[in-house]
Structure formats: C-alpha cells, structure tokens
Amino acid sequence: ILESHLESVLRSKKWKWKTLGELCEGVEYGTSAKSAREGRVPVLRMGNIQDGQIDWGSLVYTVDKDEIAKYLLKHNDVLFNRTNSPELVGKAAIYKSEMPAIFAGYLIRIRRNEDLLDGDFLNYFLNSQIALDYGKTVVISSVNQANINGTKLKGYPIPAPSLQDQKIIVKKLDDIRDETQRLEGIVQQKLTALDELKKSLLHRAFNGDL
C-alpha cells in the first residue's frame, strides 16, 4: 500500500524533475578509520541501514576525536549505501538523533540544501522502487559486490515539489506507514492465534479428544 501510494505521488505530472545534485550542496563519504567493539561513539555501517531507518544493533565504535568531529551526523542526515551486494546497494536511511554517531566509508552522507529538499522526502524517494530501478542502470558491479559512487548518486533524477508540498507528502506517507504497520501487527497476532489453535486441535486429535 505504501509503495503504491509513494510511486503514484512521485510520478505525478505536477512535479518538475531535477537531479539530486541540483538540490544538494554535495555528498560525503564516511570514515575509513578502523573501528572497535567498544568505544565512545557508534560508527554506522551498511548493515545498520534497514528499511529506511537506522538499526542500532551490531554496532562498532570509535574514540577518535578528529573522526568524530568530521563525521558526526546531524538530525535528518540521509545516508546512502554506496557499496553492498547487488540486491542491497542503494538503500538509504535517515538519522533522527537517536544517539550521537558517525558513519563508515561504504556510506555516503547527502548534504542536501535544506531550503529545497526535505530529509524525509529524500529518504522515501531513495527507498522507492523508482530510485532503486534507476540505481540498477548506473551501478558498477564486480564479483558479489556493487557500487554506486557519489557522482552517480548526484545524477539521480528526483521529483522536486516545493518544500511545503514535500512536507505534506511526507505527512501522508508517515500516516500510511503507521496504519499499515498497525494492520500488519493485527494480522500477525491473528496468524499466531490460528497457529496455536491448529497445534491445540492436532494435539487433541492425536490424543483422541475430538
């Protein structure tokens, strides 16, 4: 439901399309310094980019003050996974200040022009099928690995509604996402209950209680 609505909104003929580079001040590769299992500040890696959000599991850390100062994430920064397996390259997530963090070299921080591009709108777009399909046309592949570099990323075509329209679109998409997650939870509860009922009936049947 969410993907269908997202695609219909993005493909609306009302919007003028631009390149991502026209709406951004630049792109920035993450740190290449070695991380540790313990430390002061988490270093987000490609595995921490999940379903448009930051997954705070399986973290590594740094204590390097220079690295922290240079790569410290800001609220609503969007991270793009530039190197991964062919089916996972190009995924993105938005940072919501859950805790201080920096980002590793397989990720790109998109330094958007905040007067032109909303972070949540960008995140929805990059995770849309439209963007993922475009990524497949510019990806550079090698054995078990694919790459979309910063130059290719800046060339992504993206619809460019006004900032106000972007925020309205994001609010609608957030509402749809929340409702679908609620319905998904209800369905899962019913499936679990049905599975328990099935096990109970089979147990009673084998014991001759039916």
Side-chain angles (χ1 to χ4, degrees), residues 12 23 75-76 78-79 82 92 138 154 185 196:
S12 173
L23 304 177
H75 189 71
N76 283 341
V78 176
L79 297 174
R82 68 181 180 92
V138 297
K154 288 189 290 184
E196 292 298 322

Side-chain angles (χ1 to χ4, degrees), residues 87-100:
E87 64 272 13
L88 294 176
V89 69
K91 60 182 180 174
I94 189 165
Y95 171 72
K96 290 295 184 179
S97 299
E98 297 92 335
M99 67 177 74

Side-chain angles (χ1 to χ4, degrees), residues 195-210:
D195 187 53
E196 292 298 322
L197 177 60
K198 178 182 176 182
K199 291 178 181 177
S200 175
L201 289 173
L202 287 172
H203 179 73
R204 292 170 62 190
F206 285 130
N207 288 330
D209 296 331
L210 290 181

Side-chain angles (χ1 to χ4, degrees), residues 108-169:
I108 293 176
R109 170 163 51 188
I110 301 169
R111 299 202 311 272
R112 58 194 170 80
N113 184 328
E114 295 185 8
D115 293 327
L116 299 177
L117 187 57
D118 179 79
D120 289 291
F121 179 81
L122 174 60
N123 188 46
Y124 272 121
F125 168 74
L126 288 174
N127 287 295
S128 72
Q129 197 60 50
I130 294 172
L132 294 173
D133 286 344
Y134 178 80
K136 293 175 183 176
T137 70
V138 297
V139 68
I140 300 171
S141 297
S142 58
V143 179
N144 297 323
Q145 193 173 73
N147 180 271
I148 301 173
N149 62 35
T151 300
K152 299 289 187 182
L153 176 58
K154 288 189 290 184
Y156 269 53
I158 178 174
S162 69
L163 192 62
Q164 181 181 4
D165 283 335
Q166 290 177 41
K167 292 183 182 297
I168 292 172
I169 291 168

Side-chain angles (χ1 to χ4, degrees), residues 9-209:
V9 168
L10 294 176
R11 292 193 184 279
S12 173
K13 295 181 179 180
K14 294 189 296 183
W15 319 129
K16 180 179 179 181
W17 285 65
K18 296 185 177 182
T19 65
L20 185 55
E22 293 178 277
L23 304 177
C24 296
E25 298 171 358
V27 296
E28 180 183 5
Y29 290 61
T31 176
S32 58
K34 189 174 181 179
S35 304
R37 291 296 170 185
E38 296 181 353
R40 180 176 155 209
V41 173
V43 182
L44 300 179
R45 300 172 295 171
M46 56 187 178
N48 299 113
I49 307 298
Q50 299 290 341
D51 300 321
Q53 300 177 325
I54 305 297
D55 181 343
W56 293 96
S58 302
L59 292 174
V60 294
Y61 298 85
T62 183
V63 294
D64 189 313
K65 293 181 179 179
D66 292 335
E67 294 290 298
I68 293 170
K70 183 175 181 180
Y71 298 107
L72 189 66
L73 290 167
K74 299 184 298 181
H75 189 71
N76 283 341
D77 272 347
V78 176
L79 297 174
F80 178 86
N81 184 196
R82 68 181 180 92
T83 302
N84 207 322
S85 61
E87 64 272 13
L88 294 176
V89 69
K91 60 182 180 174
I94 189 165
Y95 171 72
K96 290 295 184 179
S97 299
E98 297 92 335
M99 67 177 74
I102 68 172
F103 59 107
Y106 283 159
L107 304 179
I108 293 176
R109 170 163 51 188
I110 301 169
R111 299 202 311 272
R112 58 194 170 80
N113 184 328
E114 295 185 8
D115 293 327
L116 299 177
L117 187 57
D118 179 79
D120 289 291
F121 179 81
L122 174 60
N123 188 46
Y124 272 121
F125 168 74
L126 288 174
N127 287 295
S128 72
Q129 197 60 50
I130 294 172
L132 294 173
D133 286 344
Y134 178 80
K136 293 175 183 176
T137 70
V138 297
V139 68
I140 300 171
S141 297
S142 58
V143 179
N144 297 323
Q145 193 173 73
N147 180 271
I148 301 173
N149 62 35
T151 300
K152 299 289 187 182
L153 176 58
K154 288 189 290 184
Y156 269 53
I158 178 174
S162 69
L163 192 62
Q164 181 181 4
D165 283 335
Q166 290 177 41
K167 292 183 182 297
I168 292 172
I169 291 168
V170 166
K171 176 62 169 61
K172 178 65 174 177
L173 291 169
D174 284 347
D175 289 344
I176 293 173
R177 181 196 60 202
D178 291 345
E179 179 63 12
T180 53
Q181 287 178 346
R182 186 186 72 83
L183 293 174
E184 193 173 44
I186 292 173
V187 170
Q188 188 58 52
Q189 288 176 0
K190 290 184 176 180
L191 288 173
T192 301
L194 286 171
D195 187 53
E196 292 298 322
L197 177 60
K198 178 182 176 182
K199 291 178 181 177
S200 175
L201 289 173
L202 287 172
H203 179 73
R204 292 170 62 190
F206 285 130
N207 288 330
D209 296 331

